[in-house]
Amino acid sequence: MTLFEELQQAIIDGKAPVAKELTERMLKEGVRPAEFFPKAIIPAMDEVGRRMRECEFFIPEVLIAARAARGATDILRPLLVGDESIRPVGTVVCGTVKGDLHDIGKNIVAMMLESAGFRIVDLGVDVAPEKIIEAVRQHQANIVAMSALLTTTMVNMKAVIEALAAAGLRDKVKVLVGGAPVTDTWAHSIGADGYGKDAPAAVELARQLAAA
Amino acid sequence: MPEKPTRRIVLRPLQAGLTAPQGTALRDLLFAQGVEFPCGGQGRCRGCRIRVLDGTAEVNAAQRERLSAVELADGWRLACQCSLGDNLVIELRQWDAAILADDTPFAFQPRAGFGVAVDLGTTTLVAQLLDLSAGRVLAVRTSLNSQARFGADVMSRVRFAVAEGGHNQLREMIRLQIGSLIEQLVSAAQAPGAEVQDVVLVGNTVMHHLFCGLDVEPLSHYPFESGQLGLQTFTAGQLGWKLEGNPRVRFLPCLGGFVGSDILAGILATNLGERENLNALVDLGTNGEIVIGNRERLLCASTAAGPAFEGARISMGMRASTGAISEVKVEGQEIHCHVLGNVPPQGLCGSGLVDAVAAGLELGRIQASGRFSDGAGAWALSPPVALTQGDIRELQLAKGAIAAGIRMLLERCGASARDLERLYLAGAFGNYINRASAQRIGLISLPSEKVEAAGNTALRGAKLALFALDGEDGSYARLRSRIEHVALNAAPGFQEIFVEELAFPQGTYA
């Protein structure tokens, strides 16, 4: 097994200390920081996403794998500042909509997007439309990802899309929505650009939207 | 104007036949037959699915989203999305609700006259007429909550009331329905001149608000707090009920946004607030409610368990009706499934699901992480009924929410499960669930002998309120002031504990 493969395995197995140790060792051996993403972190999290989709992995496994990936990325990020060869795939402003406090799903999506090379601005839970507008402006985001877990709060996604339009930002960002009560039909009806059925689907969609 | 042609629909397995004008929405037709529409007929769940055995029913985008191509080809449809265009023979996927009344003896102070206690549930209604001088139940009436056509769970009702302006409609329909139950009770008791003195209702906070005509908008979003949790008092006449003597009608106060007077009544029924030792009351439902306390301190909380215990969102899930696997027992290396109604198995209900997973853990087929050990996607329990990997995940979410809620409240009391004298399981599901299996999956980390199925504690508490001592108006101000409502969702550390509690306990319990 190559060191990149070992690191992938450590992330999939959720072994954060091993992931950190390997990352440091590889850096000492002269591996360039930018190489870690395409050769280890992104493929590892894609594999985690695949296993999650097949119900082989569940929330705890995904969370510990993401924690292990973060162990590696926390070491790498400072080394990548100013490295033009590894620009983020895109900047995503994410949050759970106003009136709603559920955040496990949103956190998983955020962590998986981060491992996929996106820059994440996580606004947390119970997020008012104005806060999203402000963050989009400040960080020049190109994707807004929103989550709602209640049928009574999912209507607030529409409010965010309307606020983006009113602020003249609607054509600057792609809007991604998700959460248990959300459907593809609903996403279309409120004018969102995409619906992520689960975290891996959200990552895939974000990749497409960022590339478009 | 020419009359619309009529069409005939036959409902199996009941074999009931109905005729209605062509084009009538199946939602209206079937609702009148007691079929539930969990998402309120929005096409967002699969709860109302039917199988068309003869005739044709339309397929639309919502159905393509919720049903697979194979299901559609097999004739499965979402009833809420179809109308009666053709003569139809359909099979219903739902059950007849098992409604739990209460006939537990209780201590009381005799008083003159008659009283009515009502448990106003999201799904079911139970009303009992009592002779207050003898504490005897004279008659009982049960029914499905007529509001259910606008959504099975409380949030769907709130959405209908707030977003679709259905508030007044929901209020009027429930008042009418309960009024008619009470009239039936009085005439069934055949006690001429039986004058009802007092009516006491209990229910969750949304039911309380909708019945009393209070705004449910604050209950639709964080922080889920209403300023109107208190006792509501009416006269029968104000509710449009024509009862002899125009009695007083009281809806007992609630404890929090998701902890209603049904739980207050449960505290009264189990006497949780007067005991020296720590006891717990747990109501397992879509919203699990938990109370832990003693005479010193009482804590309550609600936790979003989701519908897995009711067999919803389980691939072959169904309610506890004919054809449901309700029990799974381990015999050596084999399992034995008990099917309700002595028919071939058709699905898995909540108690069967909990048993099946406990059996899988016991046999080593399911790992503590919830994964099937052999990596297979499903386990054939009793063909054609199988347990899938996804089903186990749904159960993990439900049990994780309840177990984490119990653990949080115990931690707040500075106690652990060992310190509990007893844990009372309220409600119908608490009666059916196998306590050893509940322990095996880590839903309740207490030995079976300390867990007690307490039945309909909400109704029992409502009856006790009918006998409340002089001077007690039913506001329970003193008791309520002692109860601390913990908002779990906002409590630091809750998410971490929830994630920890998603796993099953290791090892076996012989």
Side-chain angles (χ1 to χ4, degrees):
Chain A
M1 225 180 353
T2 68
L3 288 173
F4 282 121
E5 282 166 350
E6 275 184 48
L7 178 56
Q8 281 190 40
Q9 199 57 50
I11 291 172
I12 295 166
D13 294 340
K15 293 176 179 158
V18 178
K20 277 186 211 163
E21 193 189 301
L22 277 168
T23 306
E24 272 158 2
R25 194 167 120 206
M26 289 160 79
L27 285 168
K28 263 186 212 149
E29 289 179 13
V31 176
R32 285 187 304 113
E35 282 181 84
F36 284 83
F37 284 87
K39 290 187 179 166
I41 297 169
I42 294 174
M45 288 311 284
D46 282 350
E47 174 62 14
V48 169
R50 186 192 68 77
R51 293 188 186 186
M52 182 186 177
R53 181 163 262 183
E54 286 175 11
C55 283
E56 189 183 322
F57 269 21
F58 195 40
I59 297 166
E61 289 91 344
V62 175
L63 287 175
I64 59 167
R67 212 171 290 158
R70 190 166 272 175
T73 56
D74 282 350
I75 299 170
L76 298 168
R77 294 260 179 241
L79 307 175
L80 290 167
V81 176
D83 185 343
E84 285 297 310
S85 71
I86 168 121
R87 295 165 60 103
V89 190
T91 298
V92 182
V93 165
C94 68
T96 301
V97 295
K98 191 163 177 53
D100 205 322
L101 290 186
H102 295 86
D103 71 349
I104 291 180
K106 185 262 302 166
N107 291 346
I108 288 177
V109 170
M111 287 192 278
M112 293 190 80
L113 283 171
E114 190 170 25
S115 317
F118 285 87
R119 187 159 72 100
I120 302 297
V121 181
D122 187 346
L123 301 177
V125 297
D126 189 27
V127 180
E130 312 82 70
K131 275 180 73 184
I132 293 179
I133 306 290
E134 194 188 309
V136 167
R137 282 218 177 96
Q138 190 190 337
H139 301 279
Q140 293 175 358
N142 41 8
I143 294 177
V144 169
M146 294 182 267
S147 165
L149 264 289
L150 299 171
T151 49
T152 50
T153 54
M154 64 192 249
V155 291
N156 293 331
M157 293 179 160
K158 196 174 168 201
V160 171
I161 293 175
E162 284 163 1
L164 284 167
L169 292 170
R170 184 63 190 92
D171 55 352
K172 302 267 195 304
V173 292
K174 299 288 186 187
V175 177
L176 203 60
V177 295
V182 181
T183 62
D184 207 17
T185 315
W186 162 258
H188 280 293
S189 75
I190 60 167
D193 298 299
Y195 156 65
K197 171 177 162 295
D198 49 30
V203 172
E204 191 43 47
L205 208 53
R207 279 178 176 149
Q208 287 169 17
L209 293 174
Chain B
M1 211 174 84
E3 266 185 47
K4 276 198 176 176
T6 58
R7 290 288 178 262
R8 185 170 166 76
I9 182 168
V10 176
L11 313 177
R12 283 193 184 155
L14 303 171
Q15 283 299 11
L18 302 163
T19 52
Q22 186 176 22
T24 306
L26 290 194
R27 171 174 146 175
D28 295 333
L29 273 176
L30 297 182
F31 184 76
Q33 300 300 309
V35 175
E36 290 173 35
F37 293 87
C39 73
Q42 304 284 308
R44 274 206 295 264
C45 74
R46 291 156 49 88
C48 66
R49 65 192 191 279
I50 55 169
R51 191 174 176 192
V52 178
L53 302 175
D54 194 32
T56 53
E58 69 263 37
V59 178
N60 62 8
Q63 297 184 70
R64 279 189 205 99
E65 206 166 285
R66 291 288 163 207
L67 299 167
S68 71
V70 176
E71 286 174 315
L72 288 167
D74 274 351
W76 288 104
R77 298 288 184 272
L78 300 181
C80 69
Q81 301 293 310
C82 296
S83 58
L84 190 61
D86 193 5
N87 287 328
L88 288 178
V89 178
I90 63 168
E91 197 175 64
L92 292 167
R93 224 22 219 177
Q94 289 185 15
W95 69 326
D96 299 311
I99 302 176
L100 200 62
D102 174 62
D103 48 15
T104 316
F106 57 91
F108 65 98
Q109 293 243 330
R111 53 178 282 210
F114 296 86
V116 175
V118 181
D119 169 24
L120 201 184
T122 312
T123 310
T124 56
L125 312 176
V126 189
Q128 286 187 337
L129 178 73
L130 284 100
D131 175 348
L132 298 177
S133 63
R136 196 159 53 93
V137 176
L138 300 174
V140 56
R141 281 289 178 277
T142 62
S143 178
L144 290 174
N145 185 326
S146 61
Q147 295 174 337
R149 65 180 302 184
F150 299 108
D153 60 280
V154 290
M155 288 318 268
S156 312
R157 303 270 172 95
V158 169
R159 193 197 57 80
F160 178 72
V162 177
E164 293 184 38
H167 185 263
N168 293 353
Q169 191 181 351
L170 291 176
R171 181 192 65 216
E172 291 313 311
M173 71 199 296
I174 195 63
R175 286 183 177 182
L176 190 69
Q177 193 183 11
I178 292 174
S180 129
L181 281 183
I182 296 175
E183 279 171 33
Q184 290 172 36
L185 281 176
V186 173
S187 57
Q190 290 180 329
E195 202 165 281
V196 175
Q197 306 286 323
D198 224 341
V199 179
V200 168
L201 294 102
V202 297
N204 63 53
T205 310
V206 172
M207 293 304 111
H208 168 271
H209 277 45
L210 288 173
F211 179 92
C212 298
L214 305 170
D215 186 11
V216 290
E217 197 279 335
L219 301 176
S220 71
H221 55 81
Y222 174 75
F224 305 100
E225 279 167 11
S226 162
Q228 297 178 292
L229 297 175
L231 172 75
Q232 294 282 324
T233 306
F234 305 88
T235 62
Q238 286 171 331
L239 299 166
W241 300 348
K242 292 182 187 66
L243 292 175
E244 222 36 64
N246 196 22
R248 173 175 69 157
V249 179
R250 291 172 297 163
F251 206 123
L252 296 191
C254 302
L255 302 173
F258 285 119
V259 188
S261 50
D262 49 346
I263 300 301
L264 175 78
I267 295 173
L268 296 174
T270 52
N271 208 17
L272 226 58
E274 306 301 326
R275 309 231 207 140
E276 188 176 344
N277 292 322
L278 211 57
N279 284 273
L281 172 69
V282 177
D283 191 341
L284 295 169
T286 305
N287 260 310
E289 291 108 353
I290 302 159
V291 185
I292 286 177
N294 55 18
R295 65 185 178 207
E296 307 287 326
R297 194 172 184 201
L298 280 165
L299 295 175
C300 73
S302 74
T303 176
F309 294 130
E310 281 142 35
R313 282 174 66 180
I314 299 303
S315 57
M316 297 199 69
M318 62 186 289
R319 289 201 151 147
S321 63
T322 305
I325 294 180
S326 62
E327 280 174 50
V328 180
K329 285 203 169 84
V330 177
E331 286 164 10
Q333 283 303 299
E334 303 289 312
I335 54 162
H336 179 78
C337 298
H338 175 75
V339 182
L340 292 174
N342 207 16
V343 295
Q346 289 163 19
L348 195 59
C349 67
S351 60
L353 174 68
V354 171
D355 271 5
V357 173
L361 289 164
E362 210 52 39
L363 293 171
R365 278 182 160 269
I366 300 172
Q367 301 171 351
S369 69
R371 270 189 71 193
F372 278 125
S373 305
D374 59 4
W379 175 24
L381 298 172
S382 176
V385 180
L387 177 77
T388 69
Q389 184 68 72
D391 296 341
I392 301 175
R393 299 314 191 189
E394 287 292 334
L395 181 66
Q396 285 179 273
L397 291 175
K399 85 102 186 166
I402 301 283
I406 296 174
R407 208 173 117 189
M408 278 297 276
L409 291 196
L410 281 169
E411 280 179 14
R412 286 273 174 114
C413 294
S416 74
R418 271 199 309 270
D419 301 316
L420 286 175
E421 181 178 50
R422 244 177 172 53
L423 184 145
Y424 296 95
L425 282 176
F429 187 61
N431 267 19
Y432 305 133
I433 191 172
N434 178 298
R435 285 168 286 172
S437 298
Q439 186 196 17
R440 183 63 191 88
I441 68 163
L443 173 65
I444 290 160
S445 47
L446 233 65
S448 314
E449 65 271 15
K450 282 188 162 190
V451 180
E452 190 174 317
N456 191 339
T457 53
L459 188 64
R460 202 177 316 145
K463 285 193 279 193
L464 289 172
L466 284 172
F467 295 99
L469 300 171
D470 288 341
E472 171 61 86
D473 62 358
S475 66
Y476 294 97
R478 200 182 60 83
L479 177 61
R480 284 178 70 217
S481 71
R482 289 174 48 211
I483 302 172
E484 189 184 330
H485 179 250
V486 180
L488 290 179
N489 245 335
F494 180 71
Q495 304 274 20
E496 283 73 21
I497 292 184
F498 169 67
V499 171
E500 276 176 34
E501 291 291 344
L502 289 174
F504 295 117
Q506 302 272 3
T508 59
Y509 297 75

XYZ file of all heavy atoms in Angstrom, chain B residues 244-276:
243
model
N -76.936 18.988 28.714
C -77.800 19.306 29.849
C -76.985 20.044 30.920
O -75.928 19.568 31.324
C -78.272 17.959 30.412
C -79.720 17.796 30.837
C -80.760 18.501 30.012
O -80.923 18.174 28.819
O -81.403 19.386 30.601
N -77.458 21.194 31.356
C -76.794 21.896 32.465
C -75.565 22.707 32.057
O -74.921 23.308 32.910
N -75.261 22.714 30.769
C -74.139 23.510 30.248
C -72.870 23.403 31.117
O -72.399 24.388 31.683
C -74.581 24.986 30.144
C -73.637 25.780 29.255
O -72.930 25.208 28.420
N -73.614 27.087 29.447
N -72.296 22.175 31.206
C -71.173 21.981 32.135
C -69.905 22.725 31.740
O -69.750 23.177 30.609
C -70.930 20.472 32.073
C -71.456 20.059 30.747
C -72.628 20.948 30.477
N -69.013 22.754 32.726
C -67.696 23.357 32.535
C -66.814 22.381 31.747
O -66.873 21.167 31.963
C -67.104 23.601 33.920
C -65.678 24.061 33.952
C -65.274 24.387 35.373
N -65.188 23.178 36.207
C -64.452 23.104 37.317
N -63.787 24.151 37.753
N -64.395 21.997 38.021
N -66.016 22.923 30.848
C -65.097 22.098 30.054
C -63.700 22.674 30.236
O -63.476 23.854 29.986
C -65.471 22.131 28.547
C -64.480 21.293 27.732
C -66.895 21.665 28.324
N -62.774 21.832 30.708
C -61.418 22.333 30.935
C -60.405 21.561 30.095
O -60.442 20.332 30.067
C -61.041 22.197 32.418
C -61.818 23.136 33.326
C -61.554 22.812 34.775
N -62.011 21.460 35.107
C -61.632 20.790 36.186
N -60.792 21.334 37.040
N -62.089 19.579 36.417
N -59.523 22.280 29.422
C -58.387 21.644 28.751
C -57.201 21.911 29.649
O -56.822 23.055 29.869
C -58.157 22.216 27.350
C -57.473 21.232 26.417
C -58.066 20.880 25.213
C -56.256 20.648 26.756
C -57.445 19.961 24.350
C -55.649 19.734 25.910
C -56.246 19.382 24.692
N -56.623 20.828 30.193
C -55.546 20.991 31.165
C -54.319 21.654 30.532
O -54.096 21.559 29.336
C -55.159 19.640 31.778
C -56.225 18.920 32.605
C -55.590 17.744 33.353
C -56.938 19.841 33.590
N -53.522 22.335 31.353
C -52.382 23.109 30.836
C -51.254 22.228 30.305
O -51.138 21.064 30.663
C -51.904 23.885 32.054
C -52.382 23.112 33.218
C -53.664 22.461 32.807
N -50.441 22.828 29.445
C -49.303 22.137 28.846
C -48.022 22.523 29.583
O -48.003 23.474 30.364
C -49.187 22.513 27.379
S -50.674 22.108 26.456
N -46.955 21.798 29.273
C -45.692 22.035 29.967
C -44.653 22.708 29.075
O -43.683 23.276 29.557
C -45.129 20.705 30.494
C -46.067 19.940 31.449
C -45.484 18.570 31.780
C -46.300 20.735 32.726
N -44.836 22.606 27.754
C -43.860 23.201 26.839
C -44.376 23.056 25.424
O -45.455 22.503 25.196
N -43.579 23.527 24.459
C -44.007 23.514 23.065
C -44.343 22.126 22.547
O -45.231 21.955 21.720
N -43.608 21.136 23.008
C -43.870 19.771 22.560
C -44.224 18.854 23.725
O -44.213 17.639 23.574
C -42.671 19.203 21.800
C -42.541 19.769 20.420
C -41.422 20.480 20.057
C -43.561 19.593 19.497
C -41.306 21.015 18.778
C -43.446 20.117 18.224
C -42.325 20.832 17.866
N -44.462 19.409 24.881
C -44.837 18.590 26.028
C -46.177 19.110 26.529
O -46.263 20.186 27.118
C -43.765 18.632 27.140
C -44.103 17.609 28.213
C -42.380 18.346 26.579
N -47.203 18.347 26.256
C -48.556 18.828 26.478
C -49.176 18.385 27.790
O -48.511 17.835 28.675
N -50.500 18.608 27.885
C -51.197 18.219 29.110
C -51.376 16.713 29.193
O -51.672 16.185 30.261
C -52.542 18.932 29.220
O -53.292 18.804 28.044
N -51.161 16.007 28.068
C -51.180 14.542 28.162
C -50.040 14.069 29.059
O -50.188 13.080 29.791
C -51.102 13.898 26.770
C -49.988 14.470 25.888
O -49.433 15.534 26.228
O -49.680 13.843 24.864
N -48.924 14.802 29.016
C -47.782 14.426 29.864
C -48.001 14.894 31.301
O -47.693 14.176 32.249
C -46.461 14.995 29.283
C -46.241 14.443 27.866
C -45.278 14.675 30.173
C -46.166 12.924 27.769
N -48.595 16.080 31.453
C -48.966 16.525 32.808
C -49.873 15.467 33.442
O -49.699 15.067 34.596
C -49.695 17.875 32.744
C -50.221 18.380 34.083
C -49.093 18.978 34.913
C -51.332 19.409 33.889
N -50.840 14.988 32.646
C -51.761 13.956 33.132
C -51.004 12.676 33.465
O -51.317 11.993 34.445
C -52.839 13.683 32.079
N -49.987 12.371 32.658
C -49.171 11.182 32.911
C -48.423 11.292 34.238
O -48.267 10.303 34.957
N -47.986 12.514 34.548
C -47.302 12.731 35.832
C -48.283 12.504 36.980
O -47.959 11.872 37.980
C -46.684 14.150 35.886
C -45.583 14.294 34.829
C -46.135 14.458 37.280
C -45.026 15.704 34.673
N -49.515 12.992 36.787
C -50.545 12.786 37.825
C -50.831 11.290 37.984
O -50.934 10.770 39.089
C -51.841 13.498 37.436
C -51.808 15.020 37.321
C -53.140 15.538 36.786
C -51.487 15.654 38.669
N -50.954 10.593 36.840
C -51.354 9.188 36.871
C -50.278 8.313 37.499
O -50.587 7.317 38.151
C -51.662 8.710 35.455
N -49.007 8.655 37.280
C -47.935 7.821 37.823
C -47.419 8.379 39.141
O -46.541 7.780 39.764
C -46.744 7.749 36.835
O -46.368 9.085 36.475
C -47.119 6.993 35.572
N -47.944 9.511 39.538
C -47.580 10.119 40.815
C -46.076 10.429 40.899
O -45.484 10.399 41.971
C -47.996 9.179 41.963
C -48.289 9.960 43.219
O -48.494 11.174 43.172
N -48.285 9.287 44.349
N -45.510 10.718 39.755
C -44.068 10.907 39.647
C -43.528 12.023 40.541
O -42.415 11.947 41.024
C -43.737 11.238 38.184
C -42.590 10.545 37.504
C -42.763 9.045 37.506
C -42.465 11.038 36.071
N -44.357 13.038 40.733
C -43.884 14.206 41.467
C -43.982 14.095 42.975
O -43.615 15.031 43.682
N -44.497 12.967 43.462
C -44.703 12.832 44.908
C -43.818 11.753 45.513
O -43.878 11.475 46.698
C -46.170 12.492 45.215
C -47.181 13.449 44.615
C -46.994 14.889 45.089
O -46.590 15.078 46.252
O -47.240 15.810 44.288
N -43.000 11.110 44.703
C -42.240 9.973 45.200
C -40.852 10.387 45.673
O -40.281 11.338 45.164
C -42.083 8.959 44.080
C -43.393 8.637 43.453
C -43.588 7.189 43.405
N -44.462 6.869 42.311
C -44.270 5.816 41.535
N -43.227 5.057 41.713
N -45.128 5.558 40.608
N -40.334 9.562 46.565
C -39.023 9.865 47.105
C -37.937 9.515 46.084
O -37.011 10.275 45.853
C -38.813 9.062 48.385
C -37.546 9.488 49.092
C -37.364 8.781 50.427
O -38.345 8.215 50.930
O -36.231 8.800 50.923
